[in-house]
């Protein structure tokens, strides 16, 4: 009887240890799966950030070129309004009014 009791305790202790070991293995596998998912998600986020940064730099260069074009156009308009070309602008406006009145007169006669 004395020899059987310690063997039963040893078997019970080993069985309890086995339960804890199995639970630890299950939790470790669950943690491994979650870490793997987070890793793949972070890699996808990094790829998306790189693509967005590339798009932003392309948009920046497009806006810079459009700004340069707009600045050059505004400079030309300022020089046109200040220069001796104001007579030309006046003649163009008179011509536009003349065409408008001629078209109005033609439509009125119909």
């Amino acid at each position: 009887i004395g020899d059987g009791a310690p063997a039963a305790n040893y078997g019970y202790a080993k069985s309890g240890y086995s339960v804890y070991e199995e639970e630890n293995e299950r939790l470790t596998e669950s943690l491994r799966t979650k870490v793997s998912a987070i890793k793949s998600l972070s890699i996808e986020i990094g790829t998306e950030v790189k693509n967005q940064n590339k798009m932003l730099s392309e948009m920046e260069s497009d806006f810079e070129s459009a700004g340069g074009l707009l600045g050059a156009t505004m400079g030309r308009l300022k020089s046109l309004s200040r220069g001796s070309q104001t007579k030309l602008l006046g003649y163009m406006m008179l011509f536009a009014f003349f065409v408008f009145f001629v078209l109005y007169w033609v439509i009125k006669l119909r």
Side-chain angles (χ1 to χ4, degrees):
I1 294 181
D3 291 334
N9 284 341
Y10 180 73
Y12 177 75
K14 186 170 185 158
S15 174
Y17 178 75
S18 175
V19 169
Y20 289 128
E21 187 176 335
E22 288 174 11
E23 184 178 352
N24 280 343
E25 289 294 325
R26 183 180 52 80
L27 291 173
T28 302
E29 186 60 36
S30 172
L31 185 61
R32 186 176 294 125
T33 303
K34 290 176 184 176
V35 167
S36 176
I38 290 173
K39 180 183 176 184
S40 66
L41 184 64
S42 65
I43 289 172
E44 288 176 16
I45 289 173
T47 303
E48 185 65 27
V49 166
K50 286 178 186 176
N51 290 338
Q52 294 294 326
N53 283 337
K54 182 181 174 186
M55 252 201 299
L56 282 174
S57 66
E58 290 173 359
M59 285 178 60
E60 181 182 7
S61 66
D62 289 344
F63 280 129
E64 285 177 1
S65 66
L69 182 63
L70 185 60
T73 303
M74 291 302 291
R76 288 184 193 129
L77 283 175
K78 284 181 184 178
S79 68
L80 179 67
S81 66
R82 287 188 215 159
S84 64
Q85 296 176 355
T86 53
K87 284 184 182 179
L88 180 63
L89 186 61
Y91 289 139
M92 285 176 48
M93 290 184 78
L94 285 174
F95 178 73
F97 284 130
F98 175 74
V99 169
F100 173 75
F101 285 122
V102 167
L103 287 175
Y104 177 75
W105 183 67
V106 168
I107 291 173
K108 191 96 165 154
L109 287 177
R110 281 185 159 185

